[in-house]
Amino acid sequence: MASRKLDDLTPKAKAKCEAFLAAANLALAPKKLTLLITCTYRSPKEQNTLYAQGRTKPGKVVTNAKHSVHTDRKAWDVAFNTAKGEVTWEGPWETLGAIARKLGIYWGGDWKSFHDRPHFQI
């Protein structure tokens, strides 16, 4: 099962993620949102299963990556958490992208061929 633990990231990725979360949660506070980590480390087997989805297994394609930096422990995915404790993927993604760029973090929303707005990596 994929991890949500920051300790499962490399030390450099963990430090970048912590800085990102602090800045993002400060920016999101007026909107009564916080960030929830949905994935940090993902095993190669889990990545292969995700890659098969929409190709050789039922479902919608969710990744174009046969190999993900999640398996290298250098990426994390997020969702928004509302004041009521509800998880949503509707929120100010461009704000998060701007914060990531400022911190030297790559944002999946900037990718040209496959926009992965919840994805951040070093």
Side-chain angles (χ1 to χ4, degrees):
M1 184 164 150
S3 173
R4 294 181 173 183
K5 298 177 187 174
L6 296 188
D7 286 340
D8 285 338
L9 296 170
T10 66
K12 182 178 177 181
K14 180 181 177 185
K16 287 282 192 175
C17 183
E18 288 172 336
F20 170 75
L21 290 173
N25 284 326
L26 186 63
L28 294 172
K31 298 177 182 351
K32 298 192 180 347
L33 296 170
T34 57
L35 287 185
L36 170 72
I37 297 288
T38 60
C39 182
T40 55
Y41 172 71
R42 186 181 303 137
S43 73
K45 181 179 178 182
E46 290 166 319
Q47 185 62 34
N48 289 340
T49 299
L50 279 179
Y51 185 77
Q53 186 176 320
R55 293 178 177 85
T56 58
K57 304 233 180 199
K60 179 182 169 189
V61 171
V62 293
T63 184
N64 283 339
K66 285 185 179 181
H67 174 82
S68 170
V69 289
H70 284 282
T71 61
D72 295 335
R73 301 175 186 267
K74 296 179 181 179
W76 59 94
D77 295 337
V78 300
F80 297 97
N81 207 4
T82 70
K84 294 180 181 179
E86 298 165 334
V87 176
T88 181
W89 279 263
E90 298 299 321
W93 290 109
E94 291 299 327
T95 299
L96 298 186
I99 291 167
R101 286 188 292 275
K102 186 175 181 180
L103 294 171
I105 297 167
Y106 297 102
W107 176 44
D110 285 334
W111 296 343
K112 302 294 183 229
S113 63
F114 185 83
H115 297 284
D116 189 358
R117 297 183 310 171
H119 181 88
F120 299 86
Q121 69 183 52
I122 63 166

